[in-house]
Amino acid sequence: MTLALGDDRHVLSHEAARRLRGALDDALYRVHEFTHTTGEHRPDGSYVVARRRASSAGHRKVFADADAVRRCYDELPEAFTAEDVTCASGGRRHMLVWHFAEHPGYDCEIVSRQPLTARKGEEG
């Protein structure tokens, strides 16, 4: 097998190619666990937000990629409730409010539990 990286070409044995593929799959697949939610980076590039400790599909939202999650967050007002989260439906909206507040990549915090309300920080 020949692996091309830009102008560089590398010849790999079948076994070396299989090990490289495994290493790449491991590098591309990550799950971040938070208190209420998880964020899963899949090898196909998609990003899944799921309710922690839930197994049914009704407790997860699959995004095309992490940028799609960022766009969902960026479209939200400075202070927002689950009703403001239009990129999902039903209970997934609440799950996303929690995810934005828990994930360190979003400058956001829960300011009220009834109704569930989050506020973006100075960095938005």
Side-chain angles (χ1 to χ4, degrees):
M1 169 181 205
T2 302
L3 174 67
L5 298 170
D7 292 335
D8 295 332
R9 302 249 185 269
H10 303 275
V11 178
L12 301 173
S13 69
H14 187 68
E15 181 58 33
R18 187 177 10 254
R19 283 193 313 270
L20 178 60
R21 180 179 181 190
L24 287 170
D25 283 346
D26 289 346
L28 294 172
Y29 179 78
R30 294 187 318 266
V31 175
H32 301 280
E33 290 192 1
F34 306 105
T35 303
H36 297 93
T37 65
T38 63
E40 176 185 2
H41 292 270
R42 293 182 172 172
D44 66 1
S46 63
Y47 186 83
V48 181
V49 177
R51 191 173 312 278
R52 191 159 176 219
R53 296 183 206 86
S55 58
S56 74
H59 296 284
R60 73 176 64 108
K61 170 67 177 157
V62 180
F63 292 89
D65 53 33
D67 290 339
V69 185
R70 173 57 65 181
R71 284 190 299 276
C72 177
Y73 177 76
D74 289 345
E75 293 172 359
L76 293 169
E78 181 180 326
F80 59 93
T81 66
E83 293 300 314
D84 295 312
V85 181
T86 59
C87 62
S89 61
R92 292 177 190 95
R93 291 176 171 192
H94 288 86
M95 178 185 66
L96 286 169
V97 173
W98 278 111
H99 189 69
F100 294 139
E102 295 176 323
H103 194 290
Y106 300 95
D107 185 15
C108 176
E109 66 180 340
I110 300 295
V111 293
S112 172
R113 289 183 180 242
Q114 283 296 335
L116 184 60
T117 306
R119 180 176 305 282
K120 293 179 179 181
E122 290 181 19
E123 295 177 21

